Amino acid sequence: MLSTPEVKSELVRFPVQRTGERVAEVATILRLAGGLHTISGRIALEAELHTPQIVQRVRKDLAELYGVRSEAKQLPPSSTRPGAPQFLVRVLDGETLARQLGLLDQRRRQIRGLPNRLTTGAQAELAAVWRGAFLARGGITTPGRSAGLELLCPTSEVAMALVGAASRLGVEAKSREIRGQNKVMVRDSEAIGEMLGAMGADQARSSWEELRRARETRATANRLVNFDDANLRRSAQASVAACARVERALEILGDEVPEHLRYAGHLRLAHREASLDDLGARADPPLTKDAIAGRIRRLLAMADKEAEARGVPGTEASLPEELDSL
């Protein structure tokens, strides 16, 4: 199985050297996981994160890229629910940082989407945007009916920006509002593998592909089993129908049936489950498949013609109701 914590654990260890990619990742994390608040007249930047490793990565980027010191604390258990963020990172005097990250507009308001320069960056920066989004509010479910990679977004504008970034990475993602929450989803199993690779989770991608192949193999096996079962049912129904018609044909013709056709009919009735090849092999002398089929066909045709002339029900009259279509 592949879980969300496993993917985040791999992504948080992904080495990023270029400044532009580090900026794209940390800015996206802070946009999805945090917000701007006014504390004592100053704008504070806060982000709620899931693991100590993500907290450490964010604080390191803030310190090395912007020279900003940040606070970190664990949220009290009473304020958390299963799967909720457990840690808080806060920059008390965060207005300058927010402007540098592009999270604050000229009127000192938090932007609705993502900073424009992030979504128009190079491929590596777009991958960093998605990596940051997944570290902040991402989740994955294993291959199956509901398989998917999802991001929970604070606004529809953020969701649309991430959809556009995915498109530029060659991955189809869709934005949906579900129960009042804006989500970006990648549903195609192959596309999920591509996005995992683009974000830098190569090990998770390998695990995903193995799970996907295993599921496809099981699905193929199930289809073959169902196909075989259907063939067996059809074969059994055809055998019942053929025997019922042969019995009626012998009844209609009585002593008038030619001996070679009578022999073929009795052979059919004596070996109800046998194939035409088997019936031909059991004949004395042996007959070909076409020969035995031809004799049975002529027997039925002769009986139906006789029944029509006498005004009595033909060979198909003896078919059970569920086999009338055969």
Side-chain angles (χ1 to χ4, degrees):
M1 299 295 287
L2 182 64
S3 66
T4 297
E6 289 174 332
V7 177
K8 290 189 176 184
S9 178
E10 183 178 2
L11 290 178
V12 81
R13 298 193 307 270
F14 182 77
V16 182
Q17 302 299 331
R18 296 189 178 184
T19 300
E21 296 171 35
R22 296 178 70 185
V23 169
E25 181 185 302
V26 73
T28 305
I29 290 176
L30 295 174
R31 180 67 187 94
L32 269 71
L36 301 177
H37 306 282
T38 302
I39 301 177
S40 301
R42 295 182 299 175
I43 293 180
L45 195 155
E46 295 181 341
E48 294 183 352
L49 304 170
H50 288 85
T51 69
Q53 292 76 21
I54 301 175
V55 170
Q56 183 179 0
R57 187 176 177 100
V58 169
R59 296 186 71 194
K60 180 181 178 182
D61 283 341
L62 292 178
E64 294 182 358
L65 295 173
Y66 300 101
V68 171
R69 294 183 60 186
S70 57
E71 301 175 355
K73 68 175 184 178
Q74 186 166 0
L75 296 171
S78 59
S79 65
T80 62
R81 60 187 184 282
Q86 300 181 33
F87 302 92
L88 177 70
V89 173
R90 174 186 292 159
V91 178
L92 279 175
D93 202 356
E95 181 171 350
T96 300
L97 173 63
R99 291 186 184 278
Q100 290 175 315
L101 291 170
L103 303 178
L104 198 67
D105 65 16
Q106 295 181 351
R107 297 185 180 181
R108 301 179 77 212
R109 297 176 304 187
Q110 182 165 277
I111 62 171
R112 292 285 301 169
L114 288 177
N116 186 60
R117 67 173 182 271
L118 299 188
T119 55
T120 57
Q123 294 280 301
E125 292 175 358
L126 294 171
V129 166
W130 263 80
R131 183 168 55 251
F134 193 91
L135 287 171
R137 290 294 182 269
I140 191 169
T141 52
T142 53
R145 286 187 177 179
S146 60
L149 188 154
E150 295 184 351
L151 304 176
L152 180 61
C153 303
T155 67
S156 59
E157 289 85 354
V158 170
M160 291 307 299
L162 288 167
V163 169
S167 179
R168 294 188 60 196
L169 288 169
V171 176
E172 181 181 1
K174 295 183 179 180
S175 174
R176 293 282 187 273
E177 184 177 340
I178 302 174
R179 293 189 290 274
Q181 294 182 321
N182 294 289
K183 291 186 177 183
V184 173
M185 298 178 289
V186 180
R187 288 297 189 210
D188 181 75
S189 290
E190 188 174 346
I192 292 171
E194 292 176 4
M195 183 57 80
L196 289 171
M199 291 190 297
D202 291 332
Q203 186 175 344
R205 180 180 187 175
S206 297
S207 299
W208 177 269
E209 294 297 342
E210 289 179 9
L211 289 168
R212 185 169 69 89
R213 284 193 294 269
R215 180 177 181 273
E216 290 175 353
T217 299
R218 287 195 299 272
T220 300
N222 289 337
R223 283 195 296 271
L224 291 174
V225 169
N226 292 336
F227 179 76
D228 289 343
D229 287 346
N231 281 343
L232 288 173
R233 285 195 299 272
R234 283 193 293 270
S235 177
Q237 289 175 339
S239 175
V240 170
C243 290
R245 293 190 66 191
V246 167
E247 286 179 337
R248 176 60 181 163
L250 294 174
E251 179 184 338
I252 292 171
L253 295 174
D255 295 335
E256 297 178 8
V257 61
E259 185 57 33
H260 67 294
L261 300 187
R262 185 193 304 276
Y263 179 74
H266 283 301
L267 195 64
R268 171 77 279 177
L269 296 177
H271 306 284
R272 294 172 179 264
E273 304 298 327
S275 66
L276 291 174
D277 280 328
D278 289 340
L279 287 181
R282 292 173 183 272
D284 186 18
L287 298 171
T288 65
K289 171 184 175 181
D290 290 338
I292 196 72
R295 290 188 183 187
I296 293 175
R297 190 162 53 246
R298 288 193 295 277
L299 171 65
L300 298 178
M302 180 180 292
D304 284 333
K305 184 176 180 180
E306 177 65 19
E308 184 178 1
R310 289 160 47 185
V312 298
T315 60
E316 292 187 357
S318 61
L319 290 178
E321 290 185 5
E322 65 273 15
L323 298 177
D324 281 348
S325 61
L326 292 176

